[in-house]
Amino acid sequence: MEFLLEGFSEGLRRALTGDPEVWQAAWVTVEVSLWATLLATLLGLPAGYLLAVARFRGRGFALGLFQSLLGLPTVVIGLLVYGFLSRRGPLGEAALLFSPPAIVIGLTILAFPIAAVYGMASVAAVDARARETALTLGASPGRAAWAVFREARFGLVAAVLGAFGRVSSEVGIAMMLGGNIEGYTRTLTTAIALESMKGEFGFGVALGTILMAIVIAVSFAARALQRSS
Amino acid sequence: MRMRRLAGFALSLALVLAGAGPASAAERLKLATTTSTANSGLLKYLHPVFEKKYGAAIGTIAVGTGQALRLGRNGDVDVVLVHARAAEDKFVADGHGVNRRDVMYNDYIVAGPKKDPAGVRGMRDAVAALKKVAEKKAPWFSRGDDSGTHKMELQLWKEAGLGKPSGGWYRALGQGMGNTLIAADEKGAYTLADRGTYIALSSAKKIGLGIAIEGDKKLFNPYGVIAVSPKKHPHVKHELAMKYVNFLVSPEGQKLIGSFQKGGKVLFFPSAGGAAGN
């Protein structure tokens, strides 16, 4: 117990007294997580909306596919994207491997099914008449979709938060595609993995605390946004 | 109203993200190296000097020697700093790297529990000691990650006539040097370690393992730096990579390496003076 507490207080002191390494890792985490969440939201919520309201061939298959993608292991995503981005891979020319954009690509793939499936579920929970009424009253399909999104906003914000929580806390993709480069692609999670490797247990726990604080702060910010209308 | 507010929020978010990324104006050299150089803190000691001198940033990717060489072969990094002489020579012979230079050396030790269940403490003959560990079936943790240390360990087992050991006493972890030492400490196992990482962890009281075996000539551990071939991979930052190679072997770089200490002990001994590059 002493080991735990001593490590933790020492770690927290180091983490909070402006150690630039800590703040860089926190910043990289926030940056790549927000980007990935933004992209996954822009792609995933419309996809979820279509799955919920449209009837088309292959809809059942698409839904089943997205649902199974929810369980996609991060190391598999990391491995596949790595294969594409390596200089020997099809997209090697872009020189993206071991850079923040590479992490964003992997995290977006991780977050997309979360936004799509939970987005679909929240849209499906809205009374179908809301959309129909809007359309009958002469709203364009886009306006009607907006009306539905408004109704479903609590569920949608939860979907986006779920995506953010997932991408900010994962380690496999960030490690494989970012390479854990200090001050550049080192995130809080890969920093924690490294600290445990160096035996710096307390510092690792302190970094974990900062990570949790970020997730909580984002969650409360989203809650404020939910209530602002 | 709401839509406009949301759009404004998204837009300002995008602007913040696009504008305020970590400063990356400086050229970034990508270095693949071993966990031993990175975890011991050596690179953190050396690199700021280089970065200041050349106005460049070094991105260090710390993996095992095997993977570091693979990253070089794929052209995903510009330069490698590794320790597995045979694999390094093959890397250069196959045309993946140029200008291999000796940089420094340290040596391997066998770390083990202070209780010494295999009774090998103080033995100088590493191969005989490993045989004894196997006979007693004393717990042994292997890196198991195709690193330079792992290659050296397998070589020793081969010389001990055991091939690739198996059995409940022998565990391959697939982890870096630090993790393997910590795991061996937790489980009371022996493990082969580079002296640098061992001292870094043990002087910081992160592990309680003692040195069981040291001093065998076979345990010599030289490090080499190799620039990735610009012929094979025209996109590599070859000029900067060569500046890095030359910095490591320069009198200034060599002096820095020799002055790096942990717990009052030198971890790496400069060795560029003797051997010329090829």
Side-chain angles (χ1 to χ4, degrees):
Chain A
M1 205 55 212
E2 201 179 313
F3 163 70
L4 246 172
L5 286 177
E6 257 175 35
F8 182 71
S9 61
E10 159 68 12
L12 206 59
R13 194 186 55 74
R14 259 182 79 186
L16 293 178
T17 47
D19 188 328
E21 254 184 71
V22 174
W23 295 110
Q24 271 170 339
W27 169 251
V28 174
T29 300
V30 169
E31 187 185 36
V32 297
S33 302
L34 284 181
W35 264 120
T37 308
L38 186 70
L39 292 175
T41 301
L42 292 179
L43 297 169
L45 291 190
Y49 179 77
L50 283 181
L51 281 175
V53 304
R55 293 289 171 270
F56 53 91
R57 270 170 73 91
R59 176 180 169 274
F61 175 75
L63 185 54
L65 181 72
F66 286 180
Q67 274 174 346
S68 40
L69 287 183
L70 281 177
L72 202 57
T74 59
V75 283
V76 174
I77 298 175
L79 206 58
L80 288 176
V81 178
Y82 185 100
F84 274 91
L85 296 186
S86 166
R87 284 287 182 172
R88 288 181 142 189
L91 303 177
E93 280 301 302
L96 285 176
L97 191 61
F98 303 137
S99 73
I103 308 179
V104 170
I105 292 170
L107 293 182
T108 303
I109 295 171
L110 178 68
F112 170 77
I114 300 175
V117 171
Y118 292 115
M120 192 217 94
S122 10
V123 168
V126 172
D127 193 334
R129 278 171 301 186
R131 178 167 172 271
E132 282 155 20
T133 312
L135 288 174
T136 331
L137 290 175
S140 67
R143 280 265 162 214
W146 186 253
V148 173
F149 275 162
R150 266 192 73 106
E151 288 295 312
R153 63 181 178 276
F154 281 95
L156 294 178
V157 169
V160 173
L161 280 179
F164 182 83
R166 183 82 180 97
V167 297
S168 60
S169 61
E170 80 79 41
V171 60
I173 289 170
M175 188 66 96
M176 290 172 91
L177 300 176
N180 196 21
I181 299 173
E182 190 192 331
Y184 184 52
T185 58
R186 181 165 297 164
T187 64
L188 285 169
T189 55
T190 60
I192 291 170
L194 179 71
E195 293 307 329
S196 99
M197 205 186 293
K198 293 196 295 192
E200 299 283 352
F201 177 79
F203 194 42
V205 174
L207 290 172
T209 311
I210 295 176
L211 181 57
M212 287 192 289
I214 290 174
V215 173
I216 292 169
V218 168
S219 159
F220 274 88
R223 180 92 186 93
L225 201 69
Q226 268 178 335
R227 297 165 75 152
S228 70
S229 60
Chain B
M1 268 348 290
R2 203 179 132 74
M3 196 191 301
R4 197 167 300 158
R5 185 182 303 156
L6 258 181
F9 176 75
L11 187 68
S12 51
L13 186 67
L15 285 177
V16 166
L17 288 172
S24 50
E27 215 181 346
R28 188 177 300 275
L29 180 74
K30 279 186 178 151
L31 162 74
T33 185
T34 70
T35 55
S36 51
T37 51
N39 289 1
S40 63
L42 172 70
L43 297 182
K44 231 181 188 169
Y45 180 72
L46 283 179
H47 285 175
V49 181
F50 177 87
E51 290 175 334
K52 207 171 158 201
K53 196 163 178 177
Y54 294 102
I58 302 178
T60 305
I61 298 153
V63 289
T65 286
Q67 205 199 331
L69 290 173
R70 268 192 294 279
L71 289 175
R73 202 161 63 211
N74 292 346
D76 288 327
V77 294
D78 306 307
V79 61
V80 296
L81 174 62
V82 292
H83 60 120
R85 191 59 205 259
E88 288 167 42
D89 288 342
K90 186 169 182 314
F91 183 78
V92 173
D94 292 348
H96 299 299
V98 293
N99 293 88
R100 187 201 169 280
R101 299 292 303 268
D102 286 323
V103 176
M104 60 195 182
Y105 67 90
N106 64 3
D107 63 345
Y108 293 107
I109 53 130
V110 172
K114 295 239 162 84
K115 278 188 289 181
D116 194 25
V120 294
R121 167 133 1 114
M123 285 177 75
R124 271 188 90 84
D125 184 340
V127 171
L130 259 64
K131 268 188 194 155
K132 211 167 158 193
V133 169
E135 269 164 31
K136 297 258 164 115
K137 295 198 189 306
W140 179 281
F141 280 3
S142 164
R143 290 276 295 273
D145 63 349
D146 195 28
S147 58
T149 309
H150 185 214
K151 287 174 202 275
M152 165 59 77
E153 185 210 323
L154 291 180
Q155 176 65 30
L156 291 172
W157 286 117
K158 209 167 118 193
E159 285 179 34
L162 280 136
K164 198 174 180 300
S166 59
W169 60 278
Y170 184 88
R171 300 275 182 220
L173 301 192
Q175 303 255 28
M177 191 72 260
N179 266 350
T180 303
L181 277 165
I182 290 166
D185 186 41
E186 292 281 341
K187 295 283 183 190
Y190 292 91
T191 189
L192 184 73
D194 66 282
R195 191 184 291 268
T197 311
Y198 169 79
I199 290 177
L201 281 174
S202 106
S203 70
K205 305 251 183 295
K206 303 295 181 195
I207 52 171
L209 296 174
I211 294 181
I213 303 155
E214 64 183 328
D216 190 329
K217 275 205 188 94
K218 285 194 177 116
L219 297 177
F220 181 62
N221 177 27
Y223 287 76
V225 65
I226 314 173
V228 173
S229 163
K231 269 195 200 128
K232 276 251 160 114
H233 299 286
H235 60 264
V236 294
K237 301 196 175 88
H238 184 61
E239 214 177 296
L240 190 58
M242 283 315 296
K243 278 183 190 155
Y244 182 72
V245 171
N246 290 328
F247 169 74
L248 287 187
V249 303
S250 71
E252 183 191 10
Q254 292 282 293
K255 210 176 146 203
L256 279 170
I257 291 170
S259 67
F260 175 66
Q261 294 191 347
K262 267 275 168 82
K265 288 176 185 146
V266 174
L267 265 54
F268 298 94
F269 299 90
S271 66
N278 49 16

